[in-house]
């Protein structure tokens, strides 16, 4: 092959250029530490490298979510444990308070302690976490449990909602981060409605939706005597009329035939005589009595106007009393239907409703209704406090029964609390497991990323040495070429 | 005398030989130089004295040693290398703009968006996570725009490259034409103008760097240069190349006279054209495809969601429409995404009570104009809609109301009061009703005198198929004390008063089509409050009615049941609402949908019913996505991708609740699934995978190009070696030749001396 000088030198120049180029590439890799600086460095590794990076970023978010979940759930768990302790103390008080050996003063002192427990429970329920109120469901900026005044006294209402906030823990695994307050402090299985009082009202056969303790006000509106034809709702036969304060002060209630008055005109002129109600002790009257109170043996009272008694009347006069039922302390009233075994009454303050058997109502008054199984923890504490303080003025026997019966509500409440606690515990463990798994997985991905993107320093160092050698050889050859003999020198 | 002549010829020949050696040595390093060889031959013999006598030596030819076929091959390969190197440079730039893999490229910004969505899904009410979402969206959109602009700039550079290459080519062809001219003139003198030929060869070689010329040798010594079969140079005339930029990113190259477009397949020009017409538009399209998939999918979920702060009070579309296009049907408008056919669900919510009025708007893109759509929305109660000066649709709610396009549940489905109302209500069977002209219906309200309603043919479109709405209108007109409603296609009549004393009786009816004579209902003291709650699952979509199946009081009457019916009227479930039901407790009608009832009387005989709709897809026609109303992203592609201006201004308008419930973040969670969701528009790839393929593709292009360029360089090197082998100057060789010619000269000189002496001797004799 014919070689010219130009060829030799050009070839050498190209060779050196290539060697420098190779050296530069290796230097680049070593100083950046990465072999995949741009996609063209290794196109086949680009998509796996992007996938691995994306995977690591997602893991970072999962880890963040898991840490947040651990914090929030941990706080919630602590609060529920505290709530459990409060309930345990309340139970102790209920057991002690139901004992017949204490006096009302002792029970008053206990009521004060229960009120303190109620305050503590409220503050626990309203605890704030990292992002707002823990137990308000989705409405984290709203106070979940609020004590409001009603006609029946203060009740605690739930202002949050039942939605749950969810974090993703990767791979379609979602974790509920919170527990809505309604689920923890909420109600269980409803039992029977107990009526306490002397009005004669009883539970109907329908399902009541009111909760906790409520009070049914049975009010008297007017009394009608006999045929009611005589002016002022009086009886034409006997001339007996309801007294001046009858509408306001009577407690007599009932349809025709429920009550009867026995009227005797001993004077024969309608001037004086005796009158008795429902077989009670006769009461003397004169024509001057415009507003005589007559009481039945059970305490029912009727006021009579005896100014116009028919002369010589000696007999019975039927008395009927009309009245109203109200669950919300008189805000709304329903007229009593003495034939209705299931009269519907609605508490407009709480929205609860009851079906009342009105057939046996004979007297006005306030009945205390307790809806077994429907007490949330707050209502149970309120009921314990109120029954210890005896706000309804019950007989001691009744009072003690009420105190004792709160125990069952506390038991139910505590069971629910414990169930929620164990669910929280399970979730907490899941969050912790996820976090440690995420850490492990991240290590694995990091090593993958390194394998794809990073320079193998050992390999690169060897390459560097090789490139240097090649360059050195090239430069040595170049200098030899410069020394080549040529005929031009000799001629 | 022959002797002198022979001697002289020898001297001349030797001189020429030595000159040529000098020429070769001087040009040993000149690029493109082909060595010259002096070809000597004995000069023609002359006839003398009956004998043929030699006349010496003459220079037959100054031969240029070169292989023209090899030159052609060299030229062709140079075209390829020029093409590859130009492409490589621009592709390398393109690759650099993507900045992958790294934490600052688009892949990382996309992941930041998914992570920000995860944060905001967790606590929709939290302003810092909302701000974080807005921030990451702004960073992402800026990133897309930047990359799109940079890809565009590479295209711009390629086009400029075409322009400048064309200028260079024009310069070279002009020189070639000039050389052609000189060569012709030199040839007329009978000489081979080797230097000019060499120079012309060099020019052709240079041209090959820029384009793919085809060279034809002409018998007169000129060359024709053709490009894509059309003459670029012919004789001493050169046709110029010109470019035209139509403005769509392409460049047209044409030869001047004739204005015909040509295709260039080699050289740098081809490289620039390939980028401008191939790689750049393709990568722009790929990037746009990814951006559009992102815009569509995120917006589809966002436009039908409700912000945490509640339903919207005002929304403005992001898409503008030219005034001239306002009268065109929707299908003819230039919108980012096409509008299909289907229904749009519009919920109008009363803020105070939370009661919802659901309206379905039918969308027919071939028949409706944008103005029609605005008018239809404007006609909905408590809603107004209009087009602003640049054709953007603006929707606002009346004071005290809000609106949204979510699949929210109507929490208060008994607006008509046809289920357990405290008014006396009568509900007919479902229409249409077969009435006859002159039919009468006698209704008594609250025990008063019966009012006779007469139905005339003129009140109906077709009296034999009277709709409930038409009948309601007739009754409203003739009996003002009775209020009417239509529920589930049934006619609902309601007395004005409430309570046990109120009543509604059909005292007489000439046809039992509406009500049978004797049908009656009484009011009650309590109205049943009907509430629906929950978040329906997507599969439960449809129209449902709930009807009382017996007579009684909710929560009291043993065996009282209510039935759930689907759109065809088939009963699908039965629920206890009597003594087995505690009022206020939830009844699970469908998965995720709970009904609560409060105590009150219901009656199957009176037809107590309420209806509700569960909607799977509120925007079947993609209207909201097409006009970008309540959108998250705006724009048509990567170059104009932006976060919706209203969201950037007020992050509270970010909408994450798909059902309208306050704590619901299902729309955000649905957006997060896009991380792993294969999309049809991306051929079954996820958004991240589509982008990854784009980046890997660019990298592969660069790599392939670089490998080919390296191979090409090596090929060229070996071809150059081969050329050098044939046409290169070896100075040692030339030195030997110099010796040769020196000897020849010396010998000739000595000979001449002898001849001269002989001549002198002759002259001295004379």
């Amino acid at each position: 092959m014919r070689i010219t000088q130009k060829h030799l030198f050009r070839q050498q120049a190209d060779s050196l250029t290539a060697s420098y180029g190779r050296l530069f590439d290796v230097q680049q890799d070593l100083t950046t530490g990465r072999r995949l600086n741009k996609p063209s460095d290794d196109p086949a590794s680009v998509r796996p490298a992007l996938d691995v990076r994306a995977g690591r970023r997602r893991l970072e978010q999962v880890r963040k979510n898991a840490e947040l979940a651990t914090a929030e759930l941990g706080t919630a768990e602590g609060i529920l444990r505290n709530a459990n302790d409060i309930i345990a103390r309340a139970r102790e008080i209920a057991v002690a308070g139901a004992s017949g050996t204490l006096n009302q003063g002792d029970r008053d002192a206990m009521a004060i302690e229960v009120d303190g427990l109620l305050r503590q429970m409220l503050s626990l329920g309203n605890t704030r976490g990292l992002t707002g109120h823990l137990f308000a469901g989705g409405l984290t900026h709203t106070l979940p449990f609020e004590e409001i005044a009603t006609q029946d006294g203060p009740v605690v209402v739930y202002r949050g909602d039942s939605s749950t906030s969810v974090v993703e823990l990767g791979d379609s695994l979602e974790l509920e981060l919170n527990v809505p307050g309604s689920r923890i402090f909420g109600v269980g299985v409803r039992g029977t409605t107990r009526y306490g009082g002397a009005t004669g009202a009883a539970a109907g056969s329908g399902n009541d939706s009111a909760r906790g303790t409520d009070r049914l006000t049975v009010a008297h509106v007017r009394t009608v005597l006999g045929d009611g034809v005589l002016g002022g709702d009086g009886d034409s036969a006997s001339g007996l009329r309801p007294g001046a304060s009858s509408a306001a002060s009577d407690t007599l209630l009932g349809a025709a035939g429920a009550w009867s008055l026995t009227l005797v005109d001993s004077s024969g002129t309608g001037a004086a005589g005796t009158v008795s109600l429902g077989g009670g002790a006769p009461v003397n009257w004169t024509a001057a009595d415009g507003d005589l109170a007559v009481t039945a043996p059970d305490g029912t009272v009727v006021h009579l106007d005896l100014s116009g008694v028919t002369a010589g009347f000696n007999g019975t006069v039927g008395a009927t009393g009309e009245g109203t039922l109200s669950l919300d302390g008189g805000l709304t009233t329903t007229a009593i239907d003495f034939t209705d075994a299931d009269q519907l009454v609605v508490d407009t303050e709480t929205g609860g409703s009851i079906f009342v058997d009105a057939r046996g109502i004979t007297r006005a008054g306030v009945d205390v209704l307790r809806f077994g199984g429907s007490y949330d923890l707050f209502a149970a504490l309120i009921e314990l406090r109120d029954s210890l303080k005896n706000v309804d003025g019950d007989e001691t026997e009744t009072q003690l029964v009420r105190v004792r019966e709160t125990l069952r509500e506390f038991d139910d409440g505590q069971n629910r609390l414990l169930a929620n606690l164990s669910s929280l515990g399970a979730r907490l463990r899941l969050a912790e497991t996820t976090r440690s798994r995420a850490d492990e997985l991240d290590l694995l991905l990091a090593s993958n990323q390194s394998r794809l993107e990073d320079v193998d320093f050992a390999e690169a160092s060897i390459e560097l040495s090789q490139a240097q050698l090649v360059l050195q050889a090239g430069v040595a050859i170049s200098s030899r070429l410069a020394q080549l003999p040529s005929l031009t020198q000799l001629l | 005398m022959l002797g002198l002549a022979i001697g002289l010829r020898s001297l001349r020949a030797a001189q020429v030989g030595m000159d040529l050696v000098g020429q070769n040595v001087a040009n040993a390093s000149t690029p493109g130089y082909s060595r010259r060889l002096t070809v000597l031959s004995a000069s023609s013999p002359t006839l003398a004295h009956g004998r043929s006598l030699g006349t010496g030596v003459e220079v037959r030819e100054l031969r240029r040693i070169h292989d023209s076929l090899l030159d052609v091959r060299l030229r062709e390969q140079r075209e390829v290398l020029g093409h590859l190197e130009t492409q490589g440079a621009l592709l390398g730039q393109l690759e650099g703009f993507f900045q992958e893999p790294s934490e600052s490229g688009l892949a990382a910004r996309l992941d930041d968006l998914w992570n920000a969505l995860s944060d905001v899904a967790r606590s929709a009410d939290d302003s810092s996570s909302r701000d974080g979402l807005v921030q990451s969206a702004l960073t992402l959109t800026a990133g897309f725009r930047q990359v799109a602009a940079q890809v565009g700039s590479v295209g711009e550079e390629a086009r400029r490259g075409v322009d400048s290459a064309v200028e260079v080519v024009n310069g070279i062809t002009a020189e070639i034409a000039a050389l052609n001219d000189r060569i012709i003139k030199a040839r007329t003198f009978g000489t081979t103008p080797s230097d000019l030929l060499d120079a012309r060869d060099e020019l052709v070689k240079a041209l090959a760097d820029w384009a793919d010329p085809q060279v034809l040798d002409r018998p007169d010594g000129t060359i024709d240069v053709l490009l894509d079969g059309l003459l670029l140079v012919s004789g001493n005339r050169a046709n110029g190349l010109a470019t035209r930029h139509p403005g769509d990113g392409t460049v047209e190259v044409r030869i001047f006279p004739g204005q015909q477009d040509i295709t260039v397949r080699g050289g740098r020009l081809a490289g620039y054209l390939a980028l401008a017409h191939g790689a750049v538009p393709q990568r722009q399209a790929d990037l746009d495809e990814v951006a559009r998939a992102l815009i569509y999918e995120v917006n589809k979920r966002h436009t039908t969601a409700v912000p945490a702060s509640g339903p919207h009070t005002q929304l403005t579309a992001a898409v503008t429409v030219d005034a001239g296009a306002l009268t065109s049907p929707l299908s003819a408008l230039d919108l980012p995404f096409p509008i299909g056919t289907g229904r749009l669900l519009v919920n109008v919510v009363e803020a105070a009570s939370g009661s919802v009025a659901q309206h379905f708007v039918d969308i027919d893109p071939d028949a409706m104009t944008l103005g029609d759509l605005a008018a239809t929305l404007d006609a909905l109660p408590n809603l107004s809609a209009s087009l602003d000066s640049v054709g953007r649709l603006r929707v606002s709610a009346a004071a005290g109301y809000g609106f949204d396009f979510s699949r929210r549940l109507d929490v208060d489905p008994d607006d008509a009061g046809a289920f357990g109302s405290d008014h006396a209500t009568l509900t007919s069977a479902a229409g249409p009703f077969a009435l006859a002209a002159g039919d009468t219906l006698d209704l008594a309200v609250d025990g008063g005198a019966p009012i006779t309603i007469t139905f005339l043919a003129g009140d109906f479109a077709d009296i034999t198929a009277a709709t409930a709405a038409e009948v309601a209108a007739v009754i409203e007109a003739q009996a003002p004390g009775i209020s009417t409603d239509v529920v589930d296609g049934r006619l609902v009549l309601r007395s004005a008063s409430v309570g046990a004393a109120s009543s509604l009786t059909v005292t007489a009816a000439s046809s039992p089509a509406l009500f049978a004579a004797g049908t009656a209902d009484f009011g009650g003291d309590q109205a049943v409050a009907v509430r629906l709650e929950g978040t329906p699952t997507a599969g439960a979509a449809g129209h449902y009615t709930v009807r009382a199946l017996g007579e009684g009081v909710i929560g009291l009457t043993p065996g009282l049941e209510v039935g759930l019916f689907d759109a065809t009227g088939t009963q699908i479930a039965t629920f206890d609402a009597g003594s087995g039901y505690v009022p206020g407790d939830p009844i699970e009608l469908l998965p995720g949908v709970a009904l609560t009832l409060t105590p009150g009387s219901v009656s199957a005989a009176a037809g107590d019913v309420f209806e509700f709709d569960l909607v799977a897809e509120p925007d079947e026609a993609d209207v909201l996505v097409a006009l970008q109303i309540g959108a998250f992203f705006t724009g048509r592609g990567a170059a104009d991708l932006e976060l919706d201006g209203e969201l950037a201004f007020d992050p509270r308008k970010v909408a994450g609740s798909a059902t309208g419930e306050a704590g619901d973040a299902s729309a955000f969670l649905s957006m997060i699934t896009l991380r792993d969701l294969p999309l049809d528009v991306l051929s079954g790839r996820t958004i991240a995978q589509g982008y990854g393929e784009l980046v890997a593709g660019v990298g592969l292009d660069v790599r392939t190009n670089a490998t080919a360029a390296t191979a090409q360089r090596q090929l060229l090197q070996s071809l150059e070696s081969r050329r050098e082998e044939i046409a290169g100057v070896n100075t040692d060789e030339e030195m030997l030749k110099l010796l040769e010619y020196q000897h020849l000269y010396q010998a000739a000189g000595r000979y001449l001396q002898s001849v001269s002496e002989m001549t002198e001797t002759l002259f001295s004799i004379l």
Side-chain angles (χ1 to χ4, degrees), chain B residues 413-414 419 487 530 532 544-546 595 597 608-612:
Chain B
D414 189 22
F419 190 88
V487 172
V530 177
L532 286 178
Y544 298 94
T545 52
V546 173
L595 169 71
L597 299 169
D608 282 7
V609 65
F610 69 88
E611 61 177 348
F612 64 98

Side-chain angles (χ1 to χ4, degrees), chain B residues 542-722:
Chain B
H543 178 86
Y544 298 94
T545 52
V546 173
R547 289 184 234 152
L549 298 177
E551 319 296 311
V553 177
I554 303 285
L556 174 65
T557 311
L560 176 65
E561 289 176 326
V562 294
L564 177 68
F565 295 79
D566 66 12
T568 64
T570 316
Q571 184 166 353
I572 49 182
T574 314
F575 303 97
D576 187 344
S579 57
Y581 171 66
V582 175
D585 279 359
I587 300 172
E588 202 189 28
L589 289 178
L590 296 158
V593 181
L595 169 71
T596 58
L597 299 169
T598 62
S601 314
V602 292
S603 162
D608 282 7
V609 65
F610 69 88
E611 61 177 348
F612 64 98
D613 280 283
L614 294 182
V615 176
E617 175 50 69
D619 183 15
E620 290 171 348
D622 279 353
V623 173
L624 303 173
V625 173
L627 295 174
Q628 296 186 336
I629 299 177
F632 189 81
F633 291 120
T634 58
R636 292 161 190 261
D640 61 354
L641 178 65
E642 299 258 11
L643 177 67
D644 187 280
E646 297 194 35
L647 297 178
F649 181 67
D650 184 5
R652 283 173 312 167
K653 289 200 173 178
V654 165
S657 169
T659 58
E661 297 268 310
D664 176 40
S666 47
F668 287 138
L669 292 171
S670 172
M671 286 179 214
I672 295 173
T673 63
L674 288 173
R675 215 171 188 162
D676 298 319
L677 189 68
L679 298 172
D680 285 338
V681 293
L682 295 178
S683 311
R685 289 171 272 158
T686 69
I687 290 176
Q689 284 170 345
Y691 175 71
E693 232 179 76
L694 164 58
V695 173
V698 173
L700 190 61
D701 285 349
V702 173
R703 192 51 182 264
T704 317
N705 196 79
T707 312
T710 309
Q712 193 62 21
R713 265 184 226 106
Q714 282 171 351
L715 176 60
L716 264 177
Q717 261 178 4
S718 72
L719 284 175
E720 290 274 6
S721 302
R722 182 94 189 93

Side-chain angles (χ1 to χ4, degrees), chain B residues 521-540:
Chain B
D521 188 49
F522 296 86
D525 291 317
Q526 281 292 333
V528 174
V530 177
R531 260 192 95 75
L532 286 178
E533 261 178 347
T535 53
T537 58

Side-chain angles (χ1 to χ4, degrees), chain A residues 120-177:
Chain A
Q120 280 180 48
M121 190 69 100
L122 264 175
S123 114
L124 282 179
N126 286 334
T127 311
R128 293 183 71 97
L130 294 166
T131 53
H133 293 286
L134 276 176
F135 299 108
L139 309 176
T140 54
H141 290 310
T142 326
L143 207 65
F145 296 104
E146 197 187 335
E147 196 179 15
I148 58 171
T150 68
Q151 295 289 332
D152 285 314
V155 294
V156 174
V157 292
Y158 178 62
R159 295 268 187 240
D161 68 10
S162 54
S163 60
T164 51
S165 88
V166 162
V167 283
E168 50 137 8
L169 293 182
D171 285 340
S172 351
L173 183 64
E174 286 173 356
L175 186 68
E176 273 181 7
L177 197 56

Side-chain angles (χ1 to χ4, degrees), chain B residues 321-333:
Chain B
V321 175
D322 289 331
L326 287 180
T327 50
S328 318
L330 292 171
S331 53
L333 295 177

Side-chain angles (χ1 to χ4, degrees), chain A residues 1-8 10-11 14-15 34 36-44 46-47 49-51 53-55 57-62 64-65 68-69 130-131 137-142 161-168 171-172 174 177 190 204-210 334 340-346 351 353-355 449 453 485-489 491, chain B residues 28-33 35 95 98 100-103 107-109 111-112 114-116 118-119 121-123 125-127 525-526 553-556 578-585 598-600 661-664 669 672 675-676 685 688-689 691-693 695-696 698-703 717 720-736 738-739:
Chain A
M1 186 183 142
R2 187 173 166 272
I3 302 288
T4 63
Q5 283 76 11
K6 175 168 133 187
H7 189 212
L8 268 177
R10 283 290 152 77
Q11 195 80 315
D14 288 342
S15 240
R34 285 176 59 183
L36 190 59
N37 285 302
K38 37 192 202 310
S40 57
D41 288 339
D42 185 0
V46 169
R47 285 186 59 186
L50 288 177
D51 284 345
R53 278 174 177 261
R57 282 183 218 113
R58 184 194 298 212
L59 269 182
E60 207 181 291
Q61 182 68 20
V62 166
K64 188 169 141 196
N65 287 349
L68 188 78
L130 294 166
T131 53
L139 309 176
T140 54
H141 290 310
T142 326
D161 68 10
S162 54
S163 60
T164 51
S165 88
V166 162
V167 283
E168 50 137 8
D171 285 340
S172 351
E174 286 173 356
L177 197 56
R190 189 177 281 270
S205 61
N207 296 318
D208 299 336
S209 72
T334 313
D340 197 346
D342 281 293
Q343 186 157 20
L344 178 64
V345 186
V346 176
S353 62
I354 58 172
F355 288 98
Q449 186 179 354
E453 292 187 25
S486 151
L487 274 178
T488 42
Q489 291 167 330
L491 290 175
Chain B
S29 294
T30 307
Y33 181 76
R35 66 192 166 109
E95 173 188 60
F98 282 98
E100 299 284 7
S102 77
E103 291 307 302
R109 295 187 194 198
D111 280 332
D112 284 343
W114 307 133
N115 288 346
S118 182
D119 280 341
R122 189 182 11 94
S123 49
D125 217 11
D126 179 24
S127 62
D525 291 317
Q526 281 292 333
V553 177
I554 303 285
L556 174 65
S579 57
Y581 171 66
V582 175
D585 279 359
T598 62
E661 297 268 310
D664 176 40
L669 292 171
I672 295 173
R675 215 171 188 162
D676 298 319
R685 289 171 272 158
Q689 284 170 345
Y691 175 71
E693 232 179 76
V695 173
V698 173
L700 190 61
D701 285 349
V702 173
R703 192 51 182 264
Q717 261 178 4
E720 290 274 6
S721 302
R722 182 94 189 93
R723 187 192 185 280
E724 193 56 25
E725 200 184 322
I726 294 170
V729 172
N730 184 326
T731 43
D732 288 342
E733 229 175 65
E734 300 302 310
M735 289 300 109
L736 287 174
L738 192 61
L739 279 177

